[in-house]
Amino acid sequence: MPAYNRNERRKSMAERRPSASYAPSKIPHLTGLEKPNEHSLKLDHCDILILGTGLVESVLAAALAWQGVEVLHIDHNNYYGDSSSTLTIDQLKKWCIEVNQGKVRHFLDAQIYIPGGKRTNEFNSKDYGIDLTPRIVFSQLDLLALLIKSRVYKYLEFQSLLNFHVFENDNFKSNISNTTKEHIFTDQLLSLTTKRLLMKFLKFVLQDNNDPEKKKILVDNSHVKIEDFLANSFGLKLPQLDELIYLIGLANRSGTRTPEAVARIKRFLVSFDVYGNFPVMVSKYGGPGEISQGFCRSAAVAGTTYKLDTTLVDFDPQLKIAKFSDGSSVKIQEKVVAAPTQVPKFLATSYKEASEKLQPFTVTRLTTIVRKDCKEWMSENESSAVVVFPPESLPTNNVHTVQVVIQNGGSGVCPQGQSIWYSHTCEQNADKAKKDLESAFEKMENAILRESATNLENLLDKKDFVVNDRGTPMLVNSFKLGESLQSFVPKETLDIVCKFGYVQTTYINPDLSNVLSASNTSNNITHATVSDTDDIMFLNMPSAEISYDGIISEVKMLYKRITGSDEDFFDVDFEDEDDDYERAAASTSAVIDSELDMNDDLDYDPVHHEPFGAGEMEL
């Protein structure tokens, strides 16, 4: 294994292409944050000390800093993001070693495989940006609203994501990710009866949550499984159940309660036509790690002091003096906020005692880089896709879903002609989870090889095609697995650059019920903190949720515990002369790196926007 270059750091989006449209009085370069300036070297006090530059910690630092709170933000790594980092391959090698040595709390069993042979050294580590906790951004989401409000979106670049695929009956079926009335009624694979049942359910989902009839139905079915609700109340059956629950709702297992499942499905539907004819976006050049850096830059503009490669080595709770690995000492006026992976040794016992009160959940992840761009799975001009394997869809009889996010070189996370497959499952048995992930990889590998094969001409016939609305014949499924192809078995295998897996633990329930529940109080905020001391707050690990749901609510809980109220959370006048909230929201679409023609999609009111248009969901 080649020696790890400690100074290696993949440049962030902000460094590669600084935004010319955002010009505060001072934008600190990340290199400046890593090498403390004279002010930080002379720092002798602060209000809040935050350990770790993960996404939650970075948003919290920026929120506090913009309200005049003096924040010292440190990380014992020499890169940003902590457990939400975007890392190079060489950084991953070192990270895996540290995990298996027990040096990275809440991660275990890290394995990395790089094939040998003549192609082993045919890649540059810095060409890859691999997320430890990959995420997708729903267009109608509180995080995106905060990115706009805080102007952090101007440090980032977004791409659209339209293609969602579901695997069922040992086959990749056509999806209903473009869930509009026109799409459903022109889908030749659906019967007229099924189309009307689908439209009836979607109309119910899109009703206002305060509608008395909808509210009563949800209350009456509050403990009913969503599968039973869809079958009994709307007459829906497979495969629509899988597509609605696991593809659109992105549920992680069967048996989700009806209100939660309906909310997840609505999250998808209302995200269409906010910034274009797609429901989801991904941040280019990396996910949570890039967004974390954006909020760190915002916090630095507001006065936060940053130190990387720095560890808290001692804290006197009486004098409130913190001592660091670089020899400096700082008085902490208020609190110490610590990410789980950054808890110093002298606080390990306190953290363990506090965390033992909570139920742990595991997330098993498998990330594979392949030398194939997988464009067959993506819409034109897009660089990402999502694949979902519902329960019991794999030969391993998976109980939990396997969710996969695919990004190719167009997303800036790997070279052109390659792609990264991020897959994960919430299966709590680690051995079973690994088998499920490997089985899903094998199914996807066969599918993409079959899709991209050049010797299929003699295997296709008329039943494998439908005619689209432009009169052009097209294959029935987004994955070319028409009936004539099911017996086609590729003889080759994918060329793998790197394969990387690990198990992550968290105290956030995979269904986010202990994050988003209205019953959470300051005494049982299990998602936000596992500490009951006055001076030190221990945070949580990232959840298994594929979206950014729950992030902002978690930060607000923390902010309220620190300041006493969340009413002024990012309540900041950025003094942009010609840039109010609505104009900022509209201009966000300009940084979505897609060549889709969206000229007609930008004329909307972001506050009162109706995604489907007036009356469009009428039967």
Side-chain angles (χ1 to χ4, degrees), residues 534-596:
D534 292 333
D535 296 325
I536 301 174
M537 297 171 62
F538 298 121
L539 306 189
N540 210 332
M541 289 291 291
S543 72
E545 172 62 35
I546 196 173
S547 80
Y548 289 89
D549 274 8
I551 298 294
I552 302 307
S553 63
E554 181 173 345
V555 176
K556 283 186 174 181
M557 289 280 192
L558 294 165
Y559 184 90
K560 185 175 182 178
R561 287 196 63 183
I562 293 171
T563 67
S565 171
D566 62 3
E567 293 182 358
D568 60 352
F569 182 78
F570 269 107
D571 184 15
V572 181
D573 182 5
F574 288 93
E575 299 181 351
D576 291 341
E577 295 180 0
D578 300 316
D579 194 15
D580 60 13
Y581 178 84
E582 286 79 4
R583 291 175 61 88
S587 65
T588 300
S589 57
V591 298
I592 298 172
D593 185 32
S594 171
E595 297 178 12
L596 295 171

Side-chain angles (χ1 to χ4, degrees), residues 462-482:
K462 292 182 179 179
K463 62 186 176 183
D464 294 313
F465 292 88
V466 295
V467 178
N468 64 17
D469 53 3
R470 297 180 181 178
T472 304
M474 59 182 292
L475 281 161
V476 170
N477 300 306
S478 55
F479 289 76
K480 296 177 183 175
L481 293 172

